[in-house]
Amino acid sequence: MNIHEYQAKEMLRGQGVPVPDGAVAESVEQVLRAANMLRGPWVLKAQVHAGGRGKAGGVRLCHTREELTDAARALLGSRLVTPQTGAAGKRVHLVYVEQASEIVEEYYLGMLIDREQAALAFVVSPDGGMDIETVARTTPEAILTLSVQDRPTREESARMAAFLRLPETMFDAFHAVAEGLYDMFLQHDLSLLELNPLVRTRQDQLLALDAKVVVDDNALFRQPELAALRDPREEDPRETEARRFGLNYIALDGDIGCMVNGAGLAMATMDIIQLKGGRPANFLDVGGGVTVEAVSEGFRLLFADAHVRAVLVNIFGGIVRCDIIAQGLLDALRTTPMRVPVIMRLGGTNEEEGRALVREAGLDVRWADDLDQAASMAVAAAGEDT
């Protein structure tokens, strides 16, 4: 689960990590009231769950209240298009007003899970303010990854600080930031934490100028305060609806709808669709303990998606029975028409029972014997005139 920058900064502040003073606002009037409490100049930031806001015009430096007013009017209610939003962009419902900082240097400081080492890893780079993926691709030597089994020691923090070329007089301050990030990552069940940039000011202070926090969805049951921070306006409505039924659904930009059981099989299904020249419209893993009701909702989501031109059902029955999938399709068709070709590959538990349900209903379903055949049929069906 993603949260907004202003929410992430509140969490950082609670861990003793320095952040600039700021306030969130949803109207021009609130922006101006916030400015009264902050020393200018100000930075106004669109609050959307996407990176690349600055290049897209979602971050504005304002020296006067007039500039601030104009920027707020321009951003609030607009659609911000970044490389992470897709062409449709995201509507700006909130902005964050922040005191501008006198920046000397920008750094990247992130944390993630190192699964190979069963540890947490710090990722640091002196090339802050840039996409870390771009740095990794063009100048990998500018990135240091350091896995730690416990809170970072002073020696480990000093190694990272030296890599960033911080003055030795700032090593203690960096160590305090690293400790705060480590504690925050563990206490709140995070899967990603990024400060980009972490800046050094003219007063030789470290400030988290931007922050990205991703919470592990599987841990939200024990993080109720974080779960309450979810902003459904930032999520695809289909993903929100799918989550209500316990489905793992992620919308993509292709035209072949997928229903699969198991994340690994779902990834393999999408890969082979790509290999055959098609494009998946979604990731949909119905999971292990799925019900007929949830399967039915999954089919409704696929059939209601105007971009979907064919649906590929790839089920390897184990805990999930094939007849549950078939019955879910029948139930979905009571309210939602099967407006596109459906290719089904069912194998495993109650396979014959599932096939029989579909045949007896007289549905025009195309059957495949294996995944390779199913993917080829789906790509061909998506290319048909409908």
Side-chain angles (χ1 to χ4, degrees):
M1 183 190 83
N2 292 308
I3 63 175
H4 286 295
E5 173 196 358
Y6 78 91
Q7 296 165 327
K9 284 183 172 176
E10 281 301 309
M11 293 174 64
L12 289 167
R13 188 177 282 111
Q15 295 288 344
V17 177
V19 297
D21 291 333
V24 67
E26 56 183 357
S27 68
V28 175
E29 292 72 24
Q30 289 182 3
V31 167
L32 294 177
R33 282 200 296 270
N36 290 336
M37 299 182 293
L38 302 168
R39 185 180 67 253
W42 309 272
V43 178
L44 192 67
K45 299 183 176 183
Q47 295 298 282
V48 295
H49 290 175
R53 292 173 300 163
K55 294 178 182 178
V59 179
R60 314 270 182 107
L61 176 62
C62 304
H63 293 87
T64 66
R65 290 175 62 85
E66 289 73 21
E67 289 181 6
L68 192 60
T69 300
D70 291 343
R73 287 174 176 162
L75 286 178
L76 285 166
S78 69
R79 298 197 74 88
L80 193 68
V81 179
T82 82
Q84 295 184 11
T85 64
K90 283 183 175 289
R91 186 170 296 280
V92 180
H93 300 281
L94 300 168
V95 290
Y96 190 57
V97 194
E98 192 171 72
Q99 281 186 189
S101 302
E102 295 183 296
I103 301 170
V104 174
E105 297 288 349
E106 297 185 354
Y107 313 103
Y108 175 92
L109 173 58
M111 285 194 71
L112 45 76
I113 298 172
D114 183 344
R115 301 189 186 280
E116 290 186 3
Q117 300 294 326
L120 299 186
F122 283 90
V123 181
V124 299
S125 173
D127 294 339
M130 294 179 58
D131 294 333
I132 196 65
E133 295 83 3
T134 302
V135 177
R137 185 173 62 254
T138 58
T139 54
E141 67 277 5
I143 297 176
L144 170 68
T145 301
L146 180 65
S147 295
V148 296
Q149 295 293 337
D150 205 338
R151 291 182 96 198
T153 64
R154 288 191 175 275
E155 290 74 17
E156 289 167 333
S157 292
R159 181 182 172 190
M160 291 187 282
F163 188 81
L164 295 176
R165 299 189 289 274
L166 281 169
E168 286 192 26
T169 54
M170 298 184 67
F171 279 21
D172 285 347
F174 181 86
H175 179 59
V177 169
E179 286 186 318
L181 295 191
Y182 183 91
D183 293 343
M184 178 171 159
F185 200 99
L186 278 187
Q187 291 171 15
H188 297 292
D189 291 305
L190 305 186
S191 57
L192 178 68
L193 172 54
E194 288 184 329
L195 308 184
N196 189 25
L198 171 72
V199 303
R200 172 189 167 197
T201 70
R202 291 190 183 280
Q203 294 75 34
D204 274 352
Q205 293 178 319
L206 291 175
L207 283 178
L209 214 59
D210 196 5
K212 178 177 181 178
V213 166
V214 180
V215 187
D216 186 345
D217 282 348
N218 296 310
L220 285 175
F221 72 94
R222 64 185 186 191
Q223 298 287 348
E225 291 184 359
L226 289 183
L229 300 181
R230 185 188 293 276
D231 187 348
R233 297 174 300 185
E234 291 295 310
E235 301 175 353
D236 189 303
R238 295 166 295 179
E239 295 177 11
T240 303
E241 183 68 9
R243 186 166 51 249
R244 195 166 67 87
F245 286 85
L247 299 171
N248 298 308
Y249 177 95
I250 300 173
L252 302 172
D253 59 0
D255 56 10
I256 298 177
C258 304
M259 177 179 288
V260 190
N261 65 312
L265 187 60
M267 295 298 293
T269 301
M270 293 192 297
D271 284 347
I272 198 167
I273 287 172
Q274 292 275 157
L275 184 65
K276 298 292 183 178
R279 295 184 305 141
N282 63 275
F283 171 100
L284 174 53
D285 170 19
V286 299
V290 71
T291 64
V292 170
E293 181 186 22
V295 172
S296 178
E297 178 62 22
F299 276 116
R300 290 192 190 97
L301 287 170
L302 297 180
F303 293 148
D305 188 340
H307 297 99
V308 169
R309 297 176 58 86
V311 170
L312 171 55
V313 181
N314 183 28
I315 300 296
F316 186 77
I319 299 174
V320 176
R321 304 196 322 258
C322 293
D323 58 323
I324 288 178
I325 302 299
Q327 188 60 56
L329 173 60
L330 301 185
D331 286 3
L333 294 180
R334 293 174 183 169
T335 58
T336 309
M338 192 173 80
R339 60 172 187 80
V340 296
V342 174
I343 296 87
M344 296 192 81
R345 181 247 182 174
L346 300 180
T349 306
N350 288 8
E351 173 186 349
E352 289 306 319
E353 289 86 343
R355 287 175 176 261
L357 282 171
V358 174
R359 283 196 302 268
E360 291 167 5
L363 299 182
D364 184 20
V365 165
R366 307 177 190 185
W367 295 97
D369 296 324
D370 56 44
L371 178 54
D372 186 84
Q373 181 188 26
S376 295
M377 292 171 65
V379 172
E384 297 174 359
D385 292 332
T386 57

